[in-house]
Amino acid sequence: MSRLETIRLISYAKSGHYGSSFSCSEIFATLYYYQLNYDSKNPKWAERDRFVMGKGHSAVGVYPILADVGFFPKEELDTYTSLGSPFGDHPDMNKIKGIDFSSGSIGHGLSVGVGMSLGARVDGLKYRTYILMGDGELQEGQVWEAAMSAGNFKLGNLVAIVDNNKVTVDGVTKELMNVNPIKEKWESFGWNVVEVDGHDVEALIDTFDNLPNVDSKTPTVIICDTVAGKGVSFMEHGFEWHVANLGEDDIKRAIAEIEGGK
Amino acid sequence: MTTQTFHKDTWELFKSLELSKQLTTGETLAKLGHEHPEIVALCADLGYPTRLADFGEKFPDRFFDFGLAEKNMVTAAAGLASTGKKAYVSTYASFLGVLCAEQIRTAVAYPNLNVRLIGTHTGIAMGFYGTSHHATEDIAITRSMANMTVISPADGVALSEMIEESVKTYEGPIYFRVSRGRETPIYENNSSNIQNKIGKANVVREGSDITIIACGIEVKQALEAAELLERENISTRVIDMHTIKPIDQEIIFNSAKNTGAILTVEEHNVQGGLGSAVAEVLMESGNFCKFKRHGIYDEYSIIGKPYYLYHHYKLDGEGIADEAKTLLNQS
């Protein structure tokens, strides 16, 4: 559903982040339909879990889910990217119910999450904060400032999710600016590291079920092995589809493949 | 008898303690901390020089030292503010308003969050520590951000009063620009009246021949200039324009009309700072008068001990009086 809606919405805009949204479709679905604690009728509920997209350009994959779980009517999505619409390529917390923080500047998300996790601690609340980052995002220095501080402040209520789809705008992450080894980096910053197939919903559920207690002293990072453009054969693994626009025939092919794959 | 720790004019140290008496953010927040559980404070390994640590000592669970990671600190403050906190962040202005400009813009101003940034040791107050430590761009940078309030208080009392207002009633992001904390104060300590209100400029001296509009520690220097000008029978009005955005337009119109000459004074680049803000108001109002922006003239400041540096840039009383006379003598 997230993938099909992404294609529909991007067709309005004539340009959008297909590949980087498709790589985290299962992550979004598992978070909103299984893991996150929220109340779509009370989006500002103080005890809700927080979800921040460090890679805000995947927002087009989340908007349809937010509508589906009741934050706003699905028809509102049809304004996507039109003049004055609340729904842009990157999300705005003051315009869209269910969005916990505005994003768009890659590398800020984990720092925001550190602040939210500290806020939970100050208030004595038990919610968790989840931050989705891309592997390309790990090239931003601020991510490692935040990673260091999360370990230092012992934020067991903070969960980072790395959508390791291995591509960025200009090419393949490993060749363009190698971020590997990812696992060892997080371990050395004092994090609990879990590796999982990011397209395997059952494995994701199992990972979330086994998160350390909120009161634990160690933040957790879930490194999700994913495929950019997952679900559409001619998009998979290709950095060309990070930002792109599908022609009409390609849209039909993509929709057929996604529906066939369900 | 209190021991004097530094020379009041040169700021040269006698002993390295009790330096920053005018940096009142921490003590003000500490005073309000019990009544206002929403206050949290963040620093970046400069908790003592900024005196934010005064809050941390009383409320250690609401005080976070981020080490030398200012961008992470500012963005985390935004995260905290999104959970309902009023987050006070303090470090040197060169590492806050300048270094973290993008984080302030995107994570604080754009989402319109209650993050209060207190950039200390601004302008050329860091003297010989180096041009890298001077902040003569921070007004221009923060003033161009929508939602942002920009305040340059004249002394510790003014800072404290407006910090208190920002806790109790004021909403939205604020950039406070303060000096090194060793300046001579101008407002009355322990006054029963509030002497500084955000958005409302203060006439700190009346006069009829020229108006000097200053902010921050230059207000005190402008008052000294007015004394010198008085000896030459020039009557000088001095305005403390502590809030640069939103600016008090009425007092600018009024000064143009009633004194016919305005000199702005700031320890900031004349490009984009207080002088530019006043010029914008004047040009759009049609209330024209003799006008000059005085400050750092679009250059990277040289180094030196602060006393000599302020003298070099004519940002002391004597230099400002000179500038005022030059403006008045223009035909």
Side-chain angles (χ1 to χ4, degrees), chain A residues 158-202:
Chain A
L158 180 61
V159 181
I161 301 167
V162 176
D163 170 19
N164 187 17
N165 66 23
K166 304 162 202 74
V167 298
T168 54
V169 176
D170 271 357
V172 176
T173 317
K174 194 164 69 179
E175 295 166 4
L176 189 122
M177 180 53 68
N178 191 7
V179 297
N180 297 309
I182 294 175
K183 179 178 179 223
E184 286 79 358
K185 282 190 176 71
W186 289 96
E187 279 173 347
S188 73
F189 278 78
W191 287 58
N192 169 41
V193 183
V194 185
E195 291 179 298
V196 65
D197 176 349
H199 299 301
D200 181 340
V201 173
E202 287 189 14

Side-chain angles (χ1 to χ4, degrees), chain A residues 50 91-94 100-103 105 108 111-112 114-116 118-120 122-123 127 142 145-146 149 152-153, chain B residues 37 40 61-62 64-66 68-72 75-76 78-80 82-83 85 102-103 106-107 110-113:
Chain A
R50 267 64 168 180
D92 186 327
M93 64 193 277
N94 290 324
D100 288 316
F101 207 88
S102 305
S103 59
S105 186
H108 286 195
S111 298
V112 170
V114 167
M116 289 173 164
L118 289 171
V122 168
D123 289 334
Y127 64 82
Q142 188 178 338
E145 291 185 8
S149 67
N152 184 72
F153 292 135
Chain B
V40 295
D61 294 342
R62 286 149 59 187
F64 307 104
D65 198 323
F66 277 74
L68 289 82
E70 293 82 5
K71 301 183 290 295
N72 182 39
T75 315
L80 270 156
S82 80
T83 71
K85 305 289 168 294
E102 195 275 334
Q103 282 74 15
T106 309
Y110 161 46
N112 200 16
L113 292 165

Side-chain angles (χ1 to χ4, degrees), chain B residues 27-88:
Chain B
E27 66 182 64
T28 306
L29 294 176
K31 190 181 76 183
L32 299 167
H34 283 297
E35 252 182 81
H36 293 274
E38 73 276 20
I39 296 173
V40 295
L42 299 83
C43 70
D45 196 40
L46 290 172
Y48 292 103
T50 60
R51 288 197 50 205
L52 198 64
D54 291 2
F55 176 79
E57 280 161 16
K58 272 186 89 172
F59 298 96
D61 294 342
R62 286 149 59 187
F63 178 73
F64 307 104
D65 198 323
F66 277 74
L68 289 82
E70 293 82 5
K71 301 183 290 295
N72 182 39
M73 167 179 68
V74 166
T75 315
L80 270 156
S82 80
T83 71
K85 305 289 168 294
K86 285 194 167 173
Y88 289 80

Side-chain angles (χ1 to χ4, degrees), chain B residues 116-119 151 153 159 162-163 166 174-178:
Chain B
R116 280 65 198 266
L117 307 143
I118 299 97
I151 301 175
L159 174 62
M162 290 187 279
I163 287 281
S166 77
I174 307 175
Y175 181 74
F176 288 94
R177 174 187 212 254
V178 300

Side-chain angles (χ1 to χ4, degrees), chain B residues 177-243:
Chain B
R177 174 187 212 254
V178 300
S179 192
R180 204 166 164 182
R182 301 173 188 175
E183 314 75 52
T184 311
I186 68 165
Y187 291 104
E188 194 185 329
N189 215 348
N190 300 319
S191 166
S192 52
N193 301 318
I194 291 172
Q195 302 161 84
N196 291 274
K197 179 129 183 51
I198 298 173
K200 180 92 186 83
N202 293 328
V203 179
V204 289
R205 181 184 171 114
E206 268 303 357
S208 55
D209 297 327
I210 185 170
T211 303
I212 300 176
I213 300 179
C215 64
I217 64 170
E218 291 305 314
V219 177
K220 172 70 181 165
Q221 302 308 315
L223 285 169
E224 288 185 7
E227 283 292 320
L228 296 172
L229 292 166
E230 188 70 42
R231 292 182 205 162
E232 299 184 38
N233 292 319
I234 298 169
S235 167
T236 306
R237 185 184 216 201
V238 178
I239 290 171
D240 173 4
M241 190 67 81
H242 49 69
T243 307

